[in-house]
Amino acid sequence: MSRGGSGGRTRVKTSRGRTPQSNRWLERQLNDPYVRRAKAEGYRSRAAYKLMELDERFHFLNGVRRVVDLGIAPGGWSQVVRKLAPRAAIAGIDLLPVDPIDGVAIYQLDFTDDRAPDLLIEALGGAPDLILSDMAANTVGHPQTDHLRTMGLVETAAAFACEVLQPGGAFVAKVLAGGADSALVSALKRNFTAVKHAKPPASRKDSSEWYVVAQGFKGRAARADAAPASAAPNDTVA
């Protein structure tokens, strides 16, 4: 590695063991201020700052008591919840192994497993008032397929939120641009008093990810019978 002449930017020299694509990824990581900040402040990923920035705008962590973290790995979002809402009970789930986090119940399990909802609610000691989802499907290299698989997880997370949230609760999830969007937006608007899309500054500009923030859960009596489909930032929402 070497320091370039422009602002001390780190450049990665070509290595026989790395592809050009790997070199570009490594160089971007080394020069990413959020990556450096996460390392300095003890967060497991730069994604921690996405949640902080979303909360600065929407304040969904204010007064929360029970939080579910879907797709918890590597744990940055739960670390933020522990810091900003230290009294909240937190339960997270992921297919990937996650190092322990003090005060967080972590399950290595597929969220779509029938056992998952009961395990999470039992760990919290009651219904959550906030559900976070940073889930994304493993990619197969086909953009349309990857999109559909990830948005399928979003749909499942939204249905779970409408099943278990406390009235007044919130649902925050990563979504991807593109695809059929109206059904999920409509379902969320029927079940929550406010639904917004946002792209926090910590989300890279070239990334297709956005976040949907649904607040003011109306209660299970308001649930739509139809299963929701995917959401994206070009929808007009209230």
Side-chain angles (χ1 to χ4, degrees):
M1 290 180 290
S2 63
R3 291 284 180 180
S6 176
R9 180 177 177 84
T10 300
R11 297 189 180 279
V12 178
K13 293 182 179 179
T14 302
S15 169
R16 180 177 296 179
R18 288 195 299 264
T19 65
Q21 183 179 6
S22 297
N23 276 358
R24 288 193 295 271
W25 178 88
L26 181 57
E27 186 171 312
R28 184 176 69 170
Q29 289 292 102
L30 292 171
N31 291 285
D32 188 324
Y34 285 103
V35 172
R36 293 196 297 266
R37 184 179 169 190
K39 186 175 181 179
E41 297 180 1
Y43 289 108
R44 297 183 180 183
S45 71
R46 67 190 307 283
Y49 300 101
K50 301 175 190 178
L51 189 65
M52 290 183 202
E53 290 164 353
L54 288 170
D55 184 60
E56 286 174 2
R57 177 175 173 184
F58 297 104
H59 311 292
F60 46 75
L61 288 175
N62 287 357
V64 293
R65 297 182 300 166
R66 300 185 183 96
V67 181
V68 171
D69 186 352
L70 304 176
I72 185 175
W77 277 23
S78 282
Q79 287 181 300
V80 171
V81 177
R82 287 288 292 154
K83 180 178 179 180
L84 300 183
R87 296 185 178 181
I90 309 168
I93 189 169
D94 205 294
L95 275 173
L96 299 174
V98 179
D99 290 336
I101 302 172
D102 183 47
V104 180
I106 300 173
Y107 296 95
Q108 186 177 354
L109 185 68
D110 188 336
F111 170 62
T112 61
D113 189 295
D114 290 341
R115 298 169 293 167
D118 289 340
L119 286 172
L120 293 168
I121 301 304
E122 183 179 356
L124 294 176
D129 43 17
L130 174 63
I131 293 177
L132 305 172
S133 174
D134 201 30
M135 292 191 294
N138 292 331
T139 59
V140 297
H142 185 269
Q144 290 179 322
T145 300
D146 292 339
H147 173 85
L148 290 172
R149 289 175 53 163
T150 290
M151 296 314 300
L153 290 176
V154 178
E155 297 167 17
T156 304
F160 172 67
C162 293
E163 283 282 355
V164 304
L165 271 175
Q166 289 273 18
F171 172 64
V172 179
K174 176 165 64 182
V175 297
L176 301 178
D181 315 312
S182 58
L184 176 58
V185 172
S186 296
L188 291 175
K189 290 177 72 173
R190 286 194 296 269
N191 286 280
F192 294 84
T193 60
V195 180
K196 302 285 186 181
H197 284 103
K199 189 175 182 70
S203 181
R204 293 187 174 103
K205 292 181 180 179
D206 61 353
S207 171
S208 64
E209 70 179 14
W210 282 68
Y211 289 86
V212 62
V213 180
Q215 295 175 285
F217 180 57
K218 298 175 183 179
R220 278 168 287 286
R223 285 191 61 221
D225 292 332
S230 55
N234 57 356
D235 283 302
T236 301
V237 291

